Structure formats: structure tokens, C-alpha cells
Amino acid sequence: MAQKKQRSSILERKKEVLESLSGLGGKIYDQLDNGTFPSITMPSRSTENIYYDPQVRQFILGDRKVKRSARNIRHVKPFAQLTWAALFSNELTSQCKTSTLRDVYYSAQAYEMTFKDQQESNNIVTDLETILGFSREDFSIFPEERSAIFGDLTIEYTVPGYEGRTMNLTSHPDGVMIGPALTSSEFVKTTADKVIAVEKGGLFTRFIEESVHKKFNSLLVLTAGQAPRATRHFIRRLNAELNLPVYIFTDGDPWGMHIAMVIISGSANAAHLRELNTPDAKWSGVWATDIVNYKLPTDPLDEVDMKRLYELQKDPRYKEDPLWQREIKTFMKIRKKAEQEAFSRYGLTYIVDEYLPAKLEETK
Amino acid sequence: MAQTTFEEISAADFFYRNRDIAGFTNPSRAIFAAVRELVENSLDAAESLKTPPDVYVRLSYEGEASAETQIYRLRVEDNGIGIPPRHIPSAFGQVLFGSKYKLKQQRGTFGLGGKMAILYGQITTHQPAYITSSTEMSKIYMYKLMIDIQRNRPLILDRKVLINKEQWRGTIVEFSLEGDYFRAMPKLLDYFKQTAMVNPYANLTFVDPKGRLYRFTRVTKEMPVPPKETKPHPYGVDVELLQRLIQITPSKNMLEFLKNHFHRVGEITAHKFLEFSNLSLSKNPKKLTHEEIVRLMHMLKKYKDFLPPDASCLSPLGEDLLKAGILKELKPEFVVVHQRKPATYAGHPFIVEFGLAYGGEIPKRGNFIVYRFANRIPLLYDEASDVSVRVITAMNWRRYRVNPDMPIAILVHICSTKVPYKTVGKEFIAGRPEVRREIANGLREVARQIQHFMSKREHVDRERKRLGVFSKYLPKIAQFSTRLAGKQKPPDIEKLLTSVKKYGAEETEK
Ligand SMILES: Nc1ncnc2c1ncn2[C@@H]1O[C@H](COP(=O)(O)OP(=O)(O)OP(=O)(O)O)[C@@H](O)[C@H]1O
Ligand SMILES: [Mg+2]
């Protein structure tokens, strides 16, 4: 049984976030008070400044900086939006409230701030992340998409009204949503010795029904397609704080492969952030070679799929491990893809009885 | 076998039969043409005295003529020079009688306009015309007359002499005519508006058959410098004119004849020209044979060294008045004007003036609105055939960042002792290459000016927007950061705001 980490890790992080937000406010305030136009410097997120760092095994931003100055006519509005977003985040976090990107977009109106569209407000939030080095979940802005977890893990809430309360994540057979309350919880204890992440809800439910969590002593995570950042951070915590190895099961196509990759190595979009990825997680299937070995029913890869494969082939993240290149080449050779459900041709439990143990062993 | 009969017709008879060419084509055109001819006479009459014109026009309904036409009574009153009593009957009752055959810029040229109106009224209503006039002497003269069409003579039906107690000066013309006012109305109102535009020193009043009053009030008493009379330029003469001059000349030899009757011909030039054309100095012009006259005409045109005609016989409006007129009638946001230097075509001097107005009350039509004028007369018909319109259409406006979707009105005014009209109806101007070139150059100039204006305006707009952005967002940054930093007192940002303003002002002045 893994020991829970320092009890105060969550609260400490919250304190840091609040300090850095008000620090930003102070910096802007002081510049104004000195009679100068406030400006902020942050790393550039343009593609030329995004590098893959094999050391940390994720994308990082290079040395290039951009300066936002309220002196510049094109910057003054985004600058105000940014200051507002910081204030808004500060209020949310200190009042222990959460909101979504969509909320941010609408909330601005109450402060007589406007965003042209959702894209613009999202960008400002990303600026704030880049400046502070925290991800938006840290300042209480959560994505819409929700993924889920199931298994024997006891957590302790830190959200208002629930502080100190604990819960075991097997208490609901549909799984528990990985939302703000869960991601801000401390881990208390677990009997699991691994994490199995799956792409699709159908398989997640099947695994629970088939007691995969017991049979394989694991926590089950539903990524629901591309895993949201909160979920990626949560998986990382499971890996780092509880020392649980992570195995990822996706569809056998370039898109599924990439869902696994983002959990492992992060995305270029989040190059300004750390601790969202789990470098030691494993992609366990469905591989292209599984399609061949297990003689799965397939669909042909279409042109879009092929184009994606060529892109991925050149992606630095895919050069880390020869496994990736091998699988890409196999996909290209067989020109076929298969969904996780394809195992049903051998009976509903085949995937749990045969495939899963074999793959867990193979990718250990 | 049928017998061919020969007959001579009078000038009045000729124009009666061919009233189309003078613009009296149909009942609605007729109303328009009648008003126009009389108003022009009135404007000429006031201007020749350097008096700002006051013209009053009333058109009243008298009765049905047919299903589509009505009888109207037209009355036009002015404060012009008036007509000496002995000339009144001929001035209004004899076609091709006039005081404007001299070479200077005037609206009237043919000695025809007023009479055509009266003639048309007479043919359609069989009623006499009433002319009242005084030259500010002690008496006012009233004539009731008709035109004897076959003999081209006035028939005086009645004549009254009144004591001019109030020192009135001017002319009143009143007669009945058939027409279709409601079809003529839009053009007629256009006509008044455009006349007001190029005569900003005139008061025009029009009362229409419904009793509606239209007033166009002067915005200035400044008037253009009046034209000086001039002699014909050698390049502009034809055989007809030469013969007429020979008939009336008191000169006994060619040297004197040339010096006396031609513009830009002095002692030296006359000598040189006679040498060039192998004519003897002492030849009596009255002895020239027809062939010699024809040859003289050709030589006059061939000789390269006559100075071009000077333009003192012209009376353009001038840039200031043009601007005043456009501002008054079109109420644009902005106007640019330009007057070309005098030029000549076939020995006739001419000057073209331009105005280009943008925005304000000028509508967007998807096409430039073009106002054409000749000797301060608006030209309202046959727009497509007019040289100005052709040049405007052919021009590459995009070069000047101007396009027909913008609310733009273009005004072209041609002044000349001989406007190259295509017809006696004075509606559009022929495409002489010299004229076309002047128009094109002038348009380019106003286009450049408007381009300059537009980019300046864009700049000011941008500047205003820029300042707006700063003054909207800087206070917000201050407010948010104060709260975020947990401070009580917001920072003072006035200095920053003034600094963007100052910076903005510098930029605008550049
Ligand atoms: N309102 C007026 N006041 C003073 N003189 C007038 C007036 N109306 C006409 N006349 C005189 O009568 C003459 C004849 O006028 P009319 O309109 O028939 O010909 P025009 O103006 O000379 O030439 P056009 O045919 O071009 O109009 C004029 O030349 C002018 O001398
Ligand atoms: Mg006339």
C-alpha cells in the first residue's frame, strides 16, 4: 500500500498560486504608480519557440520572450483582459469557487470587459498560465469535458464544505467524475498497484463490470477521448505521488496512439506548463502489430489517417522510443485500423481474460 | 403631274417646325425648357449689371388641355438690367434677335431661347405673352404681344406705360403654355438646385402649381469677375464670319483689317502673317474674292505664331464660389475644388472647373453623381453622351483609392465663348480632344486632393480610435491591478493618458 504524500501539498500549491496572482497585480500596480506603462514579459508560445526536451520528455518553450506593454495600442486591450483574468482567477481561487473557460468568457461582461469570442478569452487564460507557470486548473478554471476514475483509492476533499471528508473511489459503479473537487483532493490510501487508462466509456464500463480493478489490482481511468489537462495532471499525480505505473489502452489508429502520447509526453499547446505529462506511462494497445497478431476485424485507413501518420512520424515525441516508429510503419504497411471493441469477435470477455493480461505483461 | 411648290420660310417658322432641336420635344420637356430659358435670361440680365440676381418663378395651373397635358401660366421676374422699350417687342417676338452675339461668355448665345418658349406657348394656347420691363428710368413698359410666325415679327397687341414710382428695375415675362408639370417636376427641381449650386450669389424662388415654395438663398454677394468682350481669334474664324467682318469693316487695307478685327493680332503679327500668306498689306479687304476669302481662312488657321487667346472674355466661377455653392446645395462632409488654367480649342478659349464632394448628405448610389455645367447652366439631359461623363467613366479611380460605391458627387463646369455643344438644346458637350484632355487633367487633380483628404481622415480616425482604446483600457488595468494587489488607492494614470494624447497630436500634425 502506497503512503499518501504530504497532506498539505494541495493547500500549499493554492497558496503559491494566490501569491503569484497578487504578485502580478502588484507588479502592474507599481509600474502604473511610478507613472510608467506597465509591461509583462513572458516566453513566446510561437511554434518556432517550442522544443521537445528529451530530458524532461515533454515540449518546452525556448528562450524567446515576448513583451506585452500597455504602451502599445495593440496590447493595451489584451493587457486589460489579462489583468482582469488574473483578478477573476484570484477571486475564484480565494473564494474556493471554480469555473470553466466558457464562464470566463461570460463573466468578463460583469466587469465591463469584453472578449471578441471564446478563442480570445481562452488565449488570455493561456497567457496567464504562461506568465505564472501554473495551469488554469490551479487558478480554478476547469475544462468542460469530464473524464472519470474508478477503483480503490481513498481521497480527502479540500473543497469548502467537504474539507476533511474522505471517499473511496469504488463507491459509485459508474465511476467518479474527475472534476475540480477530485483534482483538489489529497490521496489518502490505495490498494491498487497500477493505473489503467482507457479511451472510451464503453470499455471503461465493461472493465468495471468485469471487475478489472480487482482482477488486475488497478485504478481505472476514462480519458473520454483526448484526456483533459486536469485528468493528465491527475494521472501524473497518481503516478508520482502513489508510485503507480500507468498503462494506456486506446483504439488502434493514429488518433488513439496520439491520445496515449499526449498523456505520456504532453502537447505543444501546453509547452508553457509542467507536470501535465506522465513520461513513464505506457501505451499498451491497441497497436498496429496487435491488429495483425490478434487478427482483429478492421477498417481501412483513409487519407486523413495516413496524413496524420506521416505527421506523427516526424514528431520528435515519436522518436523517443523505437516502439512508436515500429507501430507507425506497421500502420502504414497494413493500412488498417481497429477499435477496442473489435476484440468482441472473440467474445465479450476475451479482452479482459486474454488481451489485457498479455499486454500488461508485454509493456511492463 | 404634281407641281412642286417653292416657298421661303422665316426663321420663326423654321424653329416652329423644328422645335425639337431647341429642346421643346414633348409636354414635360417643354415646361422644363421654357423655365430654363427664361431663368437664364434673367440671370444674364442681372449679372451684366454686376447685381446679385433675384429671380422669382411661378408656375400656376390654368386648366386641362388633354388627358395628359395641362395649361400652365408661367411668370418669371428678375432684378436684371431691363430692356429698353424699343427693343422689347423684338427681343421677345423675333427669333434670332438678341444682344448676346458678342464674343464673351454668357448663358444666352443664339438669340432664340426666350422666343422659343413664347412661341411654344403661343402655338399650344393661342394666348399672347406679357412683357413688363424697366431699366430703372422713370417709366415701366408693358407689352402684350404675339409672334407673327410667318414673318418672324412681333405683333404688338397692347402697350402700357406706367410711372416707376418705386424705382423698380427688371423684367417680368408672363405667358401660358401647355405642358406636363408632374413629369417635368423632378428635372425642374434638379435644375433649380443645380443652378443654385453654380450661382451661389443668386436668390432663386420657385412656386409650383401646387403652391409649394422652393427657395434657394444666396450665401454670398461675391460674384465672379465679369467677362470682357473680345474679338474673334484667327484660329476660330470661318468663311461666314470673315464675310461678315469684311462687310462691316471701316478698314481700307489688310493690315488695318487684321489689326482691328482679330484678337491677338497687332502691328508686328499682322505684318508677319501677311508675309507668311503672301498677301499684300495694302489690299482692300472689300475687294477679296470668294476664293481669296476661303484661302485667307485657311492661312489664318495654318499660321503657327498667333498667341493663344487670352481668357479675359471668360468668367469662370472661381474656386471659392464653386466651393460655397457645393457646400450650400450638397452639404457634403468635404469638398475639393480645382480650376484649370485657360486652354483653347479651335481658337476658342475655355476654362474647366471641378468640384468633388464627399459624404455628408451625398447619397451612395453605387455610381458617382455627376453634375455638369456649361457657362453656369446645368446640363440635365443626355448625360451618357457627355464628354465629362465619358472621361469620368474611363478614369482609373482606384489609383486614387476612390470608388463608385462611395458617396461622391463630381462637378464639372466648362466655360467658353463657344461651348462645344452638340445641339442647340444645350444639353451635352462634344468630345473635343483639347476639352477631353483638360477634363481628364482636372479630374486627376481633384482625385489627388480627395485621396489626400481621405488618407488624412483615415489617419485622424485611427488616432481617435487609438486614444479611445487607451482611455478605455488604462483605467481598467489600474482598477483591476489595484484590487488584485490588494491596494486601497488606485494609481494615478492621468499622466499616462495625457502622454498618449500628446503623442497622438504630434502624429496628426505630420
Ligand atoms: N430678362 C431679361 N432681361 C433683360 N434682357 C433680356 C431678358 N430676356 C431677354 N432679354 C434680351 O432679349 C434677347 C433675346 O433673348 P433670347 O433668350 O431669345 O436669346 P439669347 O438669350 O440672346 O440667346 P439664347 O437663344 O441662347 O437664349 C437677349 O439677348 C437679351 O438682350
Ligand atoms: Mg436666352
Side-chain angles (χ1 to χ4, degrees):
Chain A
M1 185 177 126
Q3 263 305 300
K4 68 172 185 181
K5 249 194 104 187
Q6 277 285 27
R7 246 194 86 91
S8 59
S9 81
I10 289 291
L11 290 176
E12 210 140 76
R13 192 170 174 97
K14 186 170 154 180
K15 213 177 112 209
E16 268 174 55
V17 169
L18 285 172
E19 272 166 13
S20 78
L21 283 167
S22 61
L24 176 66
K27 208 170 124 194
I28 297 169
Y29 180 92
D30 289 344
Q31 293 181 77
L32 283 170
D33 209 37
N34 289 334
T36 52
F37 284 93
S39 66
I40 294 173
T41 309
M42 61 176 141
S44 160
R45 292 196 308 275
S46 75
T47 41
E48 307 91 79
N49 199 41
I50 296 179
Y51 301 96
Y52 184 75
D53 183 343
Q55 223 78 58
V56 290
R57 296 202 272 165
Q58 77 157 77
F59 280 108
I60 56 160
L61 298 179
D63 294 333
R64 217 182 283 189
K65 300 268 187 266
V66 290
K67 189 175 164 188
R68 292 287 153 76
S69 167
R71 178 82 184 82
N72 184 319
I73 181 69
R74 283 193 310 279
H75 292 175
V76 64
K77 181 179 178 191
F79 201 104
Q81 290 171 328
L82 181 80
T83 317
W84 171 78
L87 174 63
F88 183 68
S89 305
N90 190 57
E91 288 178 350
L92 281 176
T93 313
S94 55
Q95 293 163 17
C96 294
K97 295 223 171 77
T98 64
S99 78
T100 62
L101 286 172
R102 195 89 192 127
D103 285 332
V104 170
Y105 173 61
Y106 285 116
S107 302
Q109 291 168 8
Y111 296 75
E112 281 171 30
M113 283 301 299
T114 48
F115 288 103
K116 200 170 72 226
D117 48 29
Q118 178 82 56
Q119 184 60 41
E120 191 178 55
S121 75
N122 290 358
N123 272 340
I124 291 295
V125 172
T126 310
D127 278 351
L128 194 59
E129 291 180 329
T130 313
I131 292 163
L132 301 179
F134 287 105
S135 77
R136 59 176 179 252
E137 289 81 3
D138 286 317
F139 30 85
S140 313
I141 299 168
F142 287 86
E144 312 289 337
E145 328 93 296
R146 297 283 159 94
S147 47
I149 183 168
F150 183 89
D152 180 28
L153 170 64
T154 303
I155 53 102
E156 183 184 320
Y157 289 109
T158 65
V159 290
Y162 287 80
E163 299 106 325
R165 263 210 240 177
T166 57
M167 186 183 73
N168 187 277
L169 299 184
T170 50
S171 36
H172 196 288
D174 285 339
V176 177
M177 181 189 286
I178 306 179
L182 188 59
T183 49
S184 62
S185 304
E186 309 277 4
F187 299 152
V188 181
K189 62 175 193 238
T190 182
T191 54
D193 60 11
K194 64 176 83 59
V195 176
I196 297 174
V198 298
E199 174 184 348
K200 283 176 165 166
L203 197 64
F204 180 68
T205 309
R206 166 90 40 81
F207 278 15
I208 296 171
E209 283 165 8
E210 297 295 327
S211 294
V212 171
H213 53 291
K214 278 192 198 136
K215 287 179 189 155
F216 296 93
N217 213 18
S218 62
L219 298 175
L220 302 177
V221 173
L222 167 65
T223 68
Q226 193 60 261
R229 283 169 21 173
T231 306
R232 274 144 61 194
H233 181 60
F234 194 74
I235 293 173
R236 182 187 172 96
R237 281 183 63 205
L238 292 174
N239 175 252
E241 295 179 22
L242 300 175
N243 275 319
L244 304 180
V246 177
Y247 302 90
I248 306 161
F249 285 91
T250 67
D251 281 344
D253 61 30
W255 314 97
M257 181 163 68
H258 198 62
I259 288 172
M261 177 55 85
V262 171
I263 294 173
I264 298 166
S265 294
S267 65
N269 286 340
H272 58 293
L273 296 172
R274 296 288 177 279
E275 302 191 357
L276 290 183
N277 60 329
T278 311
D280 289 325
K282 295 283 186 321
W283 181 40
S284 304
V286 176
W287 296 348
T289 45
D290 294 341
I291 296 177
V292 179
N293 296 341
Y294 289 83
K295 299 193 175 59
L296 295 177
T298 57
D299 286 319
L301 288 176
D302 62 25
E303 247 169 69
V304 188
D305 296 329
M306 288 305 287
K307 212 177 131 242
R308 186 69 184 145
L309 281 172
Y310 284 110
E311 281 167 18
L312 296 183
Q313 200 174 28
K314 287 191 221 96
D315 190 311
R317 288 169 287 183
Y318 285 81
K319 291 186 174 144
E320 280 288 288
D321 185 339
L323 166 85
W324 298 107
Q325 291 297 328
R326 185 191 77 205
E327 292 305 318
I328 290 172
K329 284 207 188 90
T330 312
F331 272 125
M332 286 175 172
K333 203 172 89 208
I334 63 175
R335 283 180 166 265
K336 290 200 166 75
K337 59 184 175 189
E339 294 183 299
Q340 293 172 321
E341 291 86 339
F343 288 98
S344 304
R345 78 173 291 183
Y346 302 117
L348 285 181
T349 58
Y350 180 86
I351 187 167
V352 176
D353 298 342
E354 303 290 331
Y355 180 68
L356 194 56
K359 293 301 288 189
L360 288 175
E361 187 56 32
E362 188 177 355
T363 51
K364 210 168 189 169
Chain B
M1 204 174 121
Q3 207 184 328
T4 312
T5 53
F6 292 89
E7 59 179 335
E8 184 188 10
I9 65 166
S10 76
D13 208 358
F14 173 79
F15 283 107
Y16 164 55
R17 293 173 195 213
N18 298 285
R19 52 192 177 274
D20 278 11
I21 58 173
F24 291 78
T25 323
N26 57 48
S28 89
R29 276 292 283 271
I31 287 268
F32 171 78
V35 169
R36 186 187 124 158
E37 291 298 346
L38 297 190
V39 168
E40 275 156 23
N41 285 350
S42 291
L43 291 171
D44 272 345
E47 274 174 32
S48 64
L49 260 187
K50 297 181 197 154
T51 305
D54 275 312
V55 182
Y56 171 86
V57 180
R58 193 185 67 202
L59 196 62
S60 38
Y61 176 74
E62 290 212 308
E64 292 289 316
S66 70
E68 273 134 44
T69 58
Q70 295 79 37
I71 309 279
Y72 295 100
R73 190 154 187 85
L74 173 62
R75 179 185 165 99
V76 177
E77 186 175 334
D78 64 55
N79 62 341
I81 192 168
I83 309 161
R86 64 198 148 90
H87 290 317
I88 292 177
S90 299
F92 291 97
Q94 182 177 344
V95 171
L96 301 182
F97 177 95
S99 60
K100 306 173 190 169
Y101 294 116
K102 295 163 203 134
L103 275 180
K104 69 172 180 183
Q105 176 193 323
Q106 275 176 322
R107 295 181 182 79
T109 44
F110 302 114
L112 186 68
K115 265 87 66 178
M116 278 309 297
I118 289 172
L119 193 61
Y120 185 84
Q122 177 177 326
I123 305 158
T124 52
T125 68
H126 315 291
Q127 297 290 317
Y130 296 81
I131 321 293
T132 309
S133 190
S134 171
T135 53
E136 217 177 351
M137 308 300 259
S138 54
K139 295 198 173 79
I140 297 173
Y141 298 87
M142 282 181 65
Y143 281 84
K144 177 177 171 187
L145 50 85
M146 292 184 86
I147 298 172
D148 178 340
I149 296 175
Q150 277 177 17
R151 289 175 45 236
N152 188 21
R153 281 285 173 276
L155 285 174
I156 301 167
L157 305 181
D158 192 13
R159 176 178 188 269
K160 278 195 194 119
V161 183
L162 309 174
I163 306 296
N164 191 5
K165 268 192 256 143
E166 268 141 46
Q167 299 274 300
W168 175 71
R169 188 202 62 231
T171 304
I172 304 168
V173 180
E174 189 168 351
F175 63 97
S176 302
L177 78 167
E178 197 181 299
D180 180 350
Y181 172 69
F182 288 93
R183 289 207 14 231
M185 187 168 87
K187 276 274 195 258
L188 208 51
L189 295 182
D190 268 358
Y191 169 77
F192 279 110
K193 182 186 170 85
Q194 294 190 29
T195 302
M197 205 188 307
V198 287
N199 299 272
Y201 46 85
N203 274 338
L204 303 176
T205 308
F206 172 49
V207 180
D208 90 345
K210 288 257 147 130
R212 283 175 290 215
L213 171 80
Y214 299 90
R215 266 194 77 87
F216 301 86
T217 313
R218 69 170 63 91
V219 288
T220 172
K221 288 200 163 185
E222 288 296 310
M223 294 178 64
V225 183
K228 294 203 179 68
E229 244 178 69
T230 185
K231 296 177 247 177
H233 191 276
Y235 292 148
V237 301
D238 54 22
V239 173
E240 189 52 41
L241 181 66
L242 281 177
Q243 268 165 349
R244 217 190 300 167
L245 292 172
I246 289 164
Q247 228 171 42
I248 59 163
T249 187
S251 313
K252 295 280 182 291
N253 62 55
M254 284 307 289
L255 186 69
E256 289 300 311
F257 176 70
L258 289 169
K259 271 167 60 187
N260 282 338
H261 295 286
F262 293 92
H263 184 48
R264 295 296 204 190
V265 183
E267 184 80 22
I268 301 170
T269 310
H271 273 288
K272 281 190 180 158
F273 170 74
L274 288 169
E275 203 174 304
F276 165 79
S277 53
N278 261 330
L279 275 166
S280 135
L281 289 182
S282 53
K283 174 137 190 143
N284 184 340
K286 296 207 191 279
K287 295 260 164 66
L288 289 171
T289 65
H290 183 72
E291 283 71 33
E292 282 171 324
I293 295 174
V294 173
R295 181 166 171 277
L296 175 61
M297 189 268 294
H298 285 305
M299 294 315 283
L300 282 169
K301 288 203 193 301
K302 235 189 199 151
Y303 184 66
K304 288 280 169 286
D305 291 337
F306 293 120
L307 287 174
D310 84 39
S312 57
C313 55
L314 299 182
S315 172
L317 210 51
E319 295 183 348
D320 293 344
L321 283 178
L322 195 60
K323 200 173 205 163
I326 293 175
L327 287 173
K328 153 173 130 84
E329 290 304 324
L330 299 182
K331 302 191 174 58
E333 180 190 336
F334 185 77
V335 59
V336 295
V337 291
H338 174 61
Q339 185 185 76
R340 297 290 299 165
K341 293 227 159 47
T344 60
Y345 80 92
H348 308 292
F350 71 98
I351 289 177
V352 197
E353 299 177 296
F354 302 86
L356 196 155
Y358 174 90
E361 290 185 12
I362 295 173
K364 276 189 201 172
R365 292 256 178 84
N367 232 323
F368 298 130
I369 300 166
V370 181
Y371 295 108
R372 302 171 291 133
F373 299 89
N375 291 353
R376 277 177 248 157
I377 303 177
L379 308 179
L380 297 176
Y381 286 93
D382 302 315
E383 179 174 281
S385 326
D386 190 272
V387 57
S388 307
V389 173
R390 286 166 182 240
V391 176
I392 288 169
T393 314
M395 192 158 136
N396 178 7
W397 290 93
R398 246 176 308 147
R399 251 188 71 187
Y400 303 95
R401 305 217 286 146
V402 168
N403 71 64
D405 292 327
M406 296 175 169
I408 283 181
I410 300 171
L411 181 153
V412 182
H413 179 208
I414 299 180
C415 305
S416 180
T417 44
K418 191 172 185 319
V419 174
Y421 290 117
K422 268 245 167 107
T423 63
V424 203
K426 302 182 192 164
E427 287 304 351
F428 68 97
I429 294 180
R432 300 276 188 154
E434 299 89 339
V435 177
R436 187 175 301 147
R437 192 175 330 114
E438 280 303 297
I439 292 175
N441 287 336
L443 285 173
R444 276 184 215 120
E445 176 56 33
V446 284
R448 265 192 294 276
Q449 288 185 42
I450 199 79
Q451 178 185 19
H452 185 73
F453 156 75
M454 302 275 245
S455 60
K456 212 164 113 195
R457 202 183 60 149
E458 245 169 55
H459 186 84
V460 171
D461 264 10
R462 228 182 298 128
E463 210 33 52
R464 196 182 304 125
K465 261 198 216 125
R466 208 178 73 88
L467 290 179
V469 171
F470 279 115
S471 46
K472 175 165 179 197
Y473 290 109
L474 277 179
K476 287 195 185 292
I477 295 175
Q479 180 203 335
F480 297 149
S481 66
T482 307
R483 283 169 67 181
L484 187 54
K487 306 269 181 181
Q488 298 307 315
K489 189 177 72 70
D492 182 9
I493 53 165
E494 276 317 306
K495 230 175 58 202
L496 291 181
L497 283 173
T498 11
S499 83
V500 272
K501 260 172 221 154
K502 241 185 257 149
Y503 168 71
E506 271 160 35
E507 259 189 7
T508 342
E509 270 153 37
K510 256 191 275 168

